[in-house]
Amino acid sequence: MDFTFTEEQQAATEAARGVFSGVAPDTVPSPALVPGAVAEDIDRPLWTALAAGDLLSLVLAPQHGGAGLDLVALCLVLRESAKVLARVPLLETCAVAMALQRYGDQGMAAELLPDVGRGDLVLTVGANGRTGHDPAELAVTARLDGAGDGARDGSNKSGTGTGIGTGTDTGTGTGASWVLDGVQSGVPWAQTADWIALPTHVGDGRAVLALVRRDDDGVTIAEQVSTNGERYGEVRLDTVRIEARRLIHAPDAWEWLRSVLTTGTCALALGLGEAVLAMTSQYTGKREQFGFPVATFQAVAVQAADRYIDLRAMEVTLWQAAWRIAAGGTGALPPAGDVAVAKIWASDGVRRVVQTAQHLHGGFGADTDYPLHRFHAWAKQIELSLGPAAAHEEALGDLLAAHPLD
């Protein structure tokens, strides 16, 4: 077996390092020093640079102007972005674009995805539900409104999810439209995004994906601020009407998108953790006690070594999950099991890394003129995003119960 990355994946990593090399984590106010969001908008110059470096089109198919790479390549880029706390919806935009490309109406994909790759459209997704504790797909309802042949149940007759172009909605009818009602909380950069993907449920309980424009009639966005100081939004839908092609009925579309988001979050945790451990190594190598660098003390070295082990576990479980999603296929457990294991390690691991870093930095770690406190805030946001470790441990237990291992 060959565990090395492909030439294309390595090239994506190098391109990402070049783009992110000029980004400083302290270019916006500290979340510890401002009462609201650290900024009104995403880092637009960086977004433009990502588009110019073909990193926003990395996972798009060639017919949409992309390189046609997979989730592994995206995670490599996300890993680099987290090392500098890049304030861009790279994960959300790419994940939604991949879902639209894989499951959505192909005419709509042809209209939107080239603009996504050029950086002209920003996409985001609501994955927290109404409260953050309930399944996201239960927060919004979708009901059929309108007439048209085949519009009785809105089922997807051809949405097999096996490849690009297989998710065309054939059961909605040409004259049908859908009405959305509900609330999705904690939507990243909702005020900035042009399109928002929202998991919803229809009358028979099926989870579907709705694509909503920020300026659609009936959409209102209330201000929210994340733990790391970024601008989030509570998206309210009051009788929002959308055309049939903007509802993705493929039975596994939402589960697949959630798995991509979760795996991408694990990549962010890994990159952030690596940056923090490197920062800690540099500090403890220079800080002296009793005439010696504190890095030479056994207690310090052991703690740093434990965190290094955490990072390597985070890394191997991340690539296992990303590979399972990208490759498809069958196994003893579905890919959701690998995703759960990766998120367990990512949530627990990134928390331990930043806690140890704060401890080994002493009081200096709390200095708001030093960037470590920013990494701590981002780590807490990543730890809880798409579920903490405990939630994924429960999900893994359910999967093991449903798929006994011989």
Side-chain angles (χ1 to χ4, degrees), residues 278-343:
M279 190 186 310
T280 305
S281 175
Q282 292 171 4
Y283 177 78
T284 56
K286 296 177 181 178
R287 178 75 168 90
E288 291 189 358
Q289 287 280 1
F290 312 110
F292 297 94
V294 297
T296 62
F297 298 166
Q298 186 177 32
V300 172
V302 166
Q303 291 182 70
D306 285 343
R307 301 295 77 83
Y308 177 83
I309 293 170
D310 277 336
L311 290 173
R312 297 291 68 79
M314 292 164 64
E315 183 176 19
V316 69
T317 54
L318 162 66
W319 299 132
Q320 172 71 10
W323 173 76
R324 283 294 309 278
I325 294 172
T330 59
L333 285 178
D338 299 283
V339 173
V341 171
K343 190 56 166 67

Side-chain angles (χ1 to χ4, degrees), residues 79-373:
R79 179 187 190 176
E80 297 303 317
S81 75
K83 294 177 181 179
V84 297
L85 307 184
R87 300 184 48 261
V88 287
L90 179 61
L91 169 58
E92 293 82 4
T93 293
C94 289
V96 174
M98 292 168 72
L100 174 59
Q101 178 174 262
R102 182 181 178 92
Y103 296 107
D105 179 88
Q106 293 306 292
M108 190 172 182
E111 293 174 17
L112 298 184
L113 295 185
D115 286 341
V116 170
R118 289 190 291 267
D120 295 332
L121 286 181
V122 175
L123 312 180
T124 191
V125 56
N128 293 309
R130 181 182 293 270
T131 66
H133 301 288
D134 302 319
E137 63 271 20
L138 300 183
V140 177
T141 61
R143 69 180 189 277
L144 198 58
D145 179 65
D149 294 340
R152 287 188 294 275
D153 63 3
S155 59
N156 183 354
K157 309 304 182 187
S158 63
T160 60
T162 56
I164 295 174
T166 61
T168 304
D169 298 328
T170 61
T172 55
T174 57
S177 62
W178 290 83
V179 178
L180 309 177
D181 290 281
V183 178
Q184 280 281 354
S185 184
V187 180
W189 291 291
Q191 298 89 341
T192 297
D194 300 286
W195 288 83
I196 306 171
L198 298 172
T200 71
H201 67 279
V202 292
D204 60 3
R206 289 182 294 113
V208 297
L209 269 175
L211 297 175
V212 175
R213 286 191 60 89
R214 173 168 45 90
D215 56 359
D216 279 338
D217 290 339
V219 175
T220 57
I221 302 175
E223 193 82 5
Q224 293 181 320
V225 180
S226 65
T227 300
N228 59 347
E230 296 302 332
R231 197 179 184 202
Y232 278 30
E234 180 187 74
V235 178
R236 290 187 170 271
L237 308 167
D238 184 10
T239 317
V240 177
R241 285 178 168 81
I242 63 172
E243 57 185 321
R245 67 176 187 159
R246 287 164 60 180
L247 204 70
I248 300 175
H249 293 270
D252 58 342
W254 166 235
E255 181 180 355
W256 186 87
L257 175 56
R258 181 171 52 194
S259 292
V260 169
L261 290 167
T262 306
T263 305
T265 302
C266 295
L268 295 174
L270 176 62
L272 186 149
E274 289 175 330
V276 168
L277 188 61
M279 190 186 310
T280 305
S281 175
Q282 292 171 4
Y283 177 78
T284 56
K286 296 177 181 178
R287 178 75 168 90
E288 291 189 358
Q289 287 280 1
F290 312 110
F292 297 94
V294 297
T296 62
F297 298 166
Q298 186 177 32
V300 172
V302 166
Q303 291 182 70
D306 285 343
R307 301 295 77 83
Y308 177 83
I309 293 170
D310 277 336
L311 290 173
R312 297 291 68 79
M314 292 164 64
E315 183 176 19
V316 69
T317 54
L318 162 66
W319 299 132
Q320 172 71 10
W323 173 76
R324 283 294 309 278
I325 294 172
T330 59
L333 285 178
D338 299 283
V339 173
V341 171
K343 190 56 166 67
I344 291 166
W345 273 104
S347 292
D348 283 343
V350 76
R351 185 188 69 251
R352 288 193 291 257
V353 168
V354 294
Q355 286 177 342
T356 297
Q358 289 281 10
H359 176 64
L360 297 182
H361 275 82
F364 198 50
D367 188 344
T368 55
D369 290 329
Y370 188 68
L372 181 57
H373 76 286

